Amino acid sequence: HTVHAAKDAATKPLGNVGKAMGKLKGIGIAAFASIATAALAAAAAIVAFTADAIKGAIADERSTILTNAALKARGFALDELAPKIEEQIKAAQRFGIADDRVRAGLEVGSRFFKSQTKLLKANELAMTISAVTGQDLETVVSAIGKATNGSTRGLAAMIGPIEKGATLSELYAQGMGKFQGVAEELANSTS
């Protein structure tokens, strides 16, 4: 994926190198100057892309370490949870939600949910709501956590009236019922 993106970043400037080479029949110093300029643009595109990819990898690693530390401190078994986090990250990509947002949602959710199953279920619901409403994942997860503790106003504003004492499963069913169809449409759209 990274290789393809780097190639894409350099395609236009490299195309300009090709055009300049084609002009060599007409010769002249101007043709060589345009080759040099186009080659420099291609190199710059690759360097910029690579620098961004490295910065992204560093931020991603930092996010993983911090999330894992928080989850471990709250008693979650990471050897069991880590592969499930990766599954959620892959699922979130369909909605355009970045890895670090998924991890942040899990970190916030771990403040409310002590069971791995409930934590993952709350984050899945939050990803679906977030994809449709545009609200950030952490805010939605927090609203879900608060709703399971009886403070439903924040989540009710997103999914509609909530019955008193609603369980996470009931909130999940209500939220998915309202947002899953639209979220799937978005996931399958060009955007």
Side-chain angles (χ1 to χ4, degrees), residues 15-186:
N16 291 339
V17 172
K19 281 184 207 157
M21 292 295 265
K23 290 179 190 166
L24 279 179
K25 286 185 293 234
I27 206 78
I29 291 173
F32 283 105
S34 65
I35 290 170
T37 303
L40 286 172
I46 292 168
V47 167
F49 176 82
T50 305
D52 286 347
I54 291 168
K55 284 180 199 164
I58 289 169
D60 199 48
E61 186 179 32
R62 179 177 165 75
S63 161
T64 302
I65 290 167
L66 294 174
T67 303
N68 287 350
L71 292 172
K72 200 172 182 180
R74 293 186 183 124
F76 286 93
L78 288 180
D79 53 339
E80 214 180 288
L81 186 56
K84 293 174 182 167
I85 292 173
E86 286 308 311
E87 281 174 35
Q88 273 206 338
I89 286 170
K90 283 189 184 85
Q93 286 171 350
R94 294 180 59 237
F95 297 132
I97 299 171
D99 327 19
D100 59 336
R101 299 282 48 97
V102 174
R103 287 191 205 95
L106 289 165
E107 190 279 319
V108 170
S110 70
R111 299 174 197 175
F112 298 96
F113 305 104
K114 301 304 166 212
S115 132
Q116 176 181 290
T117 306
K118 286 183 178 180
L119 174 64
L120 292 166
K121 194 172 193 173
N123 213 43
E124 181 189 350
L125 173 59
M127 290 186 320
T128 304
I129 294 171
S130 177
V132 176
T133 66
Q135 293 198 46
D136 70 276
L137 191 60
E138 301 92 317
T139 302
V140 180
V141 172
S142 181
I144 293 167
K146 288 175 183 172
T148 59
N149 290 335
S151 179
T152 59
R153 192 169 40 174
L155 187 61
M158 296 175 219
I159 69 171
I162 296 169
E163 289 212 18
K164 194 171 169 64
T167 65
L168 177 60
S169 291
E170 291 164 339
L171 296 172
Y172 180 89
Q174 184 176 339
M176 289 304 236
K178 180 167 182 174
F179 290 108
Q180 190 170 25
V182 179
E184 284 303 317
E185 266 186 71
L186 285 170

